[in-house]
Amino acid sequence: MKIPAKLIEDTARELMARAAIEIPADYREGVRLARDRETGKLSRFVLTEMLRNWDVAVAERRPMCADTGLPRYYVRLGNEAQVAGGLVALERALRRATADATAVIPLRPNRVHPLTREDPNTNVGLHAPEITYAAEPDANWIDVTTVHKGGLFGSDYRMLFPGDGIPGIKRFFLDTLIESGKRGLACQPAIVGVGIGGAKDTCVRLGKEAACLRLVGSRNPDPHAAALEDELTTLGNYIGIGAMGFAGTSMVVATHVELAYTHTGGMPVAIHQFCLSSRRATARIHPDGRVEPRDDPAWFTDYYRRTGIE
């Protein structure tokens, strides 16, 4: 049984609304805990107002932040899943859903031609929205996740070398957070994704996925990565910058580290901060027409992190 493209389009349109309006429960709880721990008066005030703002957004069905970022999709394809019309129909459905959501929700039309600055007012254009794919064995469903992530600041990349080791990663992490906090280049508190290894494009991709597609409270199954996650979170909340750059201890809600095997001579590292408007929504589409809303994108499956030869 094939999944109709129209069902994918309708689901994606609904996901766009959920992502823009409703903060994921795991991040909201992380912010609440940060607020309760925060000793800085202004930072605590900001966190309290953030929580109130999210309540108002849900009650009034309006985006919780005026800047709805750059909408994008992550699609996990079950190996046995079939889409009527194939992947071309799927991509057309996602592009139509994006344009419709931009007009109806509404989303801010952020996508412009990089040279002429022409804005089609749809968030659709050259390589927009981005669609990232992953496969999953023994499944006949499709998971669609939409993420609205800012596309300007809060991210950085550095080519480190084996001799820099973990201390070099920590130094880069702190350099990035301090610069973004002091200059207002990210809206903290943030979920910070750290991609380590692979080629440059691999670690940048993994850092963004780590920030956007893992639940607050999750841990990397690699014990070395999990230990680094804990230490980086502690360091990030020790530098004295809290919510929205005010003095405090609530810059980092969680740190998620993802790894890729890399060249023997290097250690590329990328950092992405998923800001206070951590917008994400997921649904699983079954071939019988059922659409199952899901809290967890479950992007980093055992298959996705596989290391062996199949």
Side-chain angles (χ1 to χ4, degrees):
M1 187 178 297
K2 295 184 178 181
I3 298 174
K6 184 63 166 61
L7 180 59
I8 296 172
E9 179 182 341
D10 293 344
T11 301
R13 189 183 301 109
E14 174 60 26
L15 290 175
M16 281 280 173
R18 281 177 47 202
I21 295 169
E22 302 170 14
I23 283 289
D26 58 291
Y27 177 68
R28 187 183 180 102
E29 177 63 10
V31 170
R32 187 190 67 78
L33 292 173
R35 191 273 312 273
D36 293 346
R37 293 191 302 266
E38 181 58 77
T39 57
K41 184 177 180 180
L42 286 175
S43 284
R44 186 179 178 90
F45 170 78
V46 169
L47 294 171
T48 299
E49 291 306 304
M50 284 170 54
L51 292 165
R52 289 179 180 172
N53 177 66
W54 296 338
D55 288 338
V56 171
V58 172
E60 298 187 2
R61 304 307 297 170
R62 299 171 62 185
M64 96 287 287
C65 179
D67 183 355
T68 49
L70 298 181
R72 64 180 301 138
Y73 295 97
Y74 293 91
V75 178
R76 177 169 294 283
L77 298 164
N79 192 51
E80 284 75 50
Q82 296 184 58
V83 177
L87 291 182
V88 170
L90 182 150
E91 293 187 347
R92 286 174 177 163
L94 296 182
R95 291 169 78 88
R96 283 194 297 265
T98 302
D100 289 349
T102 299
V104 174
I105 294 174
L107 306 179
R108 194 164 82 178
N110 280 334
R111 301 275 194 171
V112 301
H113 188 287
L115 301 181
T116 67
R117 314 309 291 180
E118 178 184 359
D119 191 340
N121 292 313
T122 60
N123 279 309
V124 175
L126 289 166
H127 302 287
E130 296 90 347
I131 304 172
T132 302
Y133 294 99
E136 190 66 21
D138 304 319
N140 62 356
W141 40 255
I142 297 174
D143 279 352
V144 178
T145 298
T146 186
V147 168
H148 299 177
K149 188 182 188 301
L152 294 177
F153 306 112
S155 303
D156 206 351
Y157 164 84
R158 186 175 292 179
M159 175 55 79
L160 301 178
F161 297 95
D164 292 311
I166 291 179
I169 297 172
K170 295 176 184 176
R171 183 165 53 248
F172 175 41
F173 182 85
L174 290 176
D175 287 348
T176 301
L177 265 60
I178 291 170
E179 179 183 18
S180 63
K182 285 186 173 181
R183 297 177 60 196
L185 299 181
C187 297
Q188 290 94 5
I191 304 170
V192 185
V194 183
I196 304 173
K200 179 178 181 179
D201 58 333
T202 308
C203 79
V204 171
R205 172 179 58 80
L206 282 176
K208 179 172 285 188
E209 292 174 1
C212 300
L213 300 176
R214 279 180 51 189
L215 298 185
V216 172
S218 65
R219 294 171 64 82
N220 192 301
D222 183 304
H224 303 289
L228 184 58
E229 289 174 341
D230 292 341
E231 189 164 1
L232 291 177
T233 298
T234 299
L235 286 172
N237 287 328
Y238 186 72
I239 59 181
I241 302 176
M244 298 300 287
F246 292 110
T249 57
S250 54
M251 180 174 254
V252 180
V253 171
T255 305
H256 299 155
V257 172
E258 290 297 329
L259 309 175
Y261 281 24
T262 192
H263 192 284
T264 56
M267 188 170 63
V269 182
I271 293 174
H272 287 268
Q273 298 176 65
F274 201 16
C275 72
L276 62 87
S277 299
S278 290
R279 294 159 294 206
R280 178 196 75 222
T282 301
R284 177 165 294 177
I285 306 173
H286 296 271
D288 62 4
R290 288 180 297 122
V291 177
E292 175 189 355
R294 299 174 69 84
D295 295 327
D296 187 351
W299 185 255
F300 290 96
T301 63
D302 291 340
Y303 183 75
Y304 194 62
R305 288 187 175 123
R306 66 196 184 281
T307 59
I309 302 170
E310 284 90 8

